[in-house]
Amino acid sequence: MKTRINPWHLSILCGFLITIFLFWTYFYVSYNLKQEQVISLEYDTVWSATNGRIEFYKYSASVSRYLNTGDPADLEDAQMRYEILLGRMETWSSGNFSSFLNSSSSLASDYNLLSEKLEALSPLMQRLEHGDAEQFQSALEQIAPIIELISSKSYQSSIKRFSGEREEFRQRLLTERRVVIGLLVLATLLMAFVMRQNSTLTQANAKIAGDADKLAYMAKHDGLTKLPNRTLLDEHLTRAKTYLRTGETVYAIALDLDGFKAVNDTLGHGGGDALLAAVARRLNGFVGKLPGDGLAARIGGDEFLVFLWCRSDQIDIEASVQSLAATFNTPLETAIGSLLVGTSIGYAAASEKDDVDYVILNADLALTEAKAAGRGSAMRFAPSMRAQLERRLQIERELPNALRKRLITPHYQLQFNLFTGEPVGMESLARWHHDDIGFVSPAEFIPIAEATGDIVALGRTMLRAACEDVQKLPEKIKVAVNLSMIQLLNDDLVSLVATTLQETGLKPSRLKLEVTESVVMHNVDAVAKLLRQLQQMGVTIALDDFGTGYSALSYLNNFRWDELKIDRSFVTACETSQKALNTINVIKSLADKMNADLLIEGLETQAQVEIFQSLGCMYGQGFFYNKPAPIEQVLTHFDERGYHHAPEAAVNAGAHI
């Protein structure tokens, strides 16, 4: 008698087997998800290590840029990069990356050493604006190998782990297929899920491999333009130095876009990014036409660098640079339309291995000179540029000491009535005679003082000295003191002027404060409000260098100027140009209607004086009358001409009020 299989029992058995299969599938999937999370954590370790390495080199590049330019914006960027780097180190000390570091005593020791050296940078950062560049570079060179070591070990550890995971995936896949074959009859409905799971695992495996390649690419390329970054550029530089042969030359061409800020301000960061991407494409096209081994890299912001290594007889570098500059005469096709932007260029060459290390720095120095020369300029590095940089650094180092020891002193240039020849005032001008390098022009040390912030202390010194010295002269003589943008941005300017007037005993009406057009245009409303407060104290306010900058009538309407000063460039122009004479007539008419005095600067000859007399201009100053001189010589000038000045007792009394 044959035994029949109860369908119900068979259904229960099938159901039981299917349930076991489902549970197996559930735990299998859960296990795989957990493994993917582990992989993700490993990926985070690589990502964190790579980001830490990138942040360090961004910080290092920012410090180098500040040490090269002395720009306060670069100092602020360097300080910000330092804080970001410290924050990145904190993430290394927690989470999965901390576990990675603790997996090896040597790694933990390396990380502790790295933390100590980064903390040691803090006092150097605080003194960076007065610091020793060599000491700072030495500190960075000690830190770089440690970061490279940790990043490299993280990457190697992750690659090894990824390889093991791939093998585990392969074994699981085989197991899954065997189970599927054995339960094919009972699990037909589950086949689609198994196949989908198989596809998911394959994609995860491919994603891991792809992400590793992507991380390697990102470490050496700029994210926006896809150009090589400083890391890849340094690799090419090292290779060029190692294998440089006789007759070969390494060239570095540094570029900075002219007017990039205006594009950002007008079109936003999206427009700026589109422009940078278009510049990258154009530079790649240019490099592709050059001989030898070359690349275009983005150094940062709107600064790019073309690196070239070839035989010197293969290229005319001057002609190539001119050709590169000419390419920017054609609008760039961007994602938002055609944009035209110019560029300033600095370039340098090195044919000796020892010089290769400095070729990029030399190109940057040449670029700085090119930007100072004006938009669209291209300059080749010359040794004198390094000498100028060293001179600037020396001035920057010794400026605070010169202020403390009062080595920067006021000289005064008298201002006269052009018709009577009587002195009516004098302008205070800072002068510095350095014991080693001789006379340092104000045009040289004042911009440095503004960049370092020392202009505030210099301004205080000049203001007090002027208020004290003018009281040694007749009551009718006023003294003019120049104000910089930094001083105007200082919240205590109004109280400083009030306190100085009170302590020196000078009448406010004898003090004249001068600002230039460029200072006013920085923030018309804010500057006008500040000057109005000074004017309400009784102080005279003059607009210096009128006619040479923006000369916008809008800011003339925002403030009642007591005096307009015509720049010396008009003096020479009026001797040969009727147009210049007409311009002076218009300005004089404007000053008359504003009820403001008009003063001419830079008068050097009798003929020039007579020209401005004929135009009806009342006041002037210049070498025709006298050169800037210490107050003692000014007093002698008054004595020789019989002018009466304030008694010494009165001066001393006023100086201590």
Side-chain angles (χ1 to χ4, degrees), residues 13 24 40 43 163 181 193 218 259 293 382 469 483 496 504 547 559 565 571 598:
L13 177 61
W24 177 87
S40 177
Y43 170 83
S163 178
I181 292 173
F193 173 79
M218 290 174 59
D293 187 5
D469 289 342
L483 294 178
L496 171 66
T504 61
F559 184 73
K565 295 187 71 175
V571 174
L598 191 65

Side-chain angles (χ1 to χ4, degrees), residues 288-419:
K289 299 176 183 178
L290 297 176
D293 187 5
L295 59 80
R298 184 186 179 200
I299 304 303
D302 61 333
E303 186 174 347
F304 297 83
L305 190 135
V306 173
F307 174 84
L308 180 62
W309 171 23
C310 65
R311 290 189 60 83
S312 56
D313 56 6
Q314 290 181 294
I315 187 173
D316 182 341
I317 189 62
E318 282 75 16
S320 296
V321 168
Q322 293 303 322
S323 174
L324 175 59
T327 64
F328 286 88
N329 294 331
T330 304
L332 293 151
E333 296 301 325
T334 74
I336 60 172
S338 297
L339 293 175
L340 182 63
V341 63
T343 182
S344 299
I345 299 176
Y347 60 104
S351 56
E352 300 294 335
K353 290 186 177 181
D354 291 340
D355 295 335
V356 173
D357 290 330
Y358 300 99
V359 69
I360 294 179
L361 173 61
N362 292 342
D364 284 336
L365 289 175
L367 175 60
T368 300
E369 293 294 324
K371 289 192 290 186
R375 292 188 173 190
S377 299
M379 288 193 177
R380 182 165 186 161
F381 170 77
S384 60
M385 295 178 182
R386 188 174 298 279
Q388 291 173 3
L389 174 63
E390 292 172 353
R391 177 183 172 91
R392 175 187 172 87
L393 293 176
Q394 181 181 7
I395 292 174
E396 186 175 317
R397 286 194 305 269
E398 299 183 15
L399 184 58
N401 183 58
L403 291 173
R404 285 193 299 270
K405 295 185 177 181
R406 297 187 178 274
L407 301 178
I408 301 178
T409 59
H411 284 209
Y412 300 96
Q413 185 173 46
L414 292 173
Q415 300 167 336
F416 292 84
N417 184 309
L418 300 185
F419 293 94

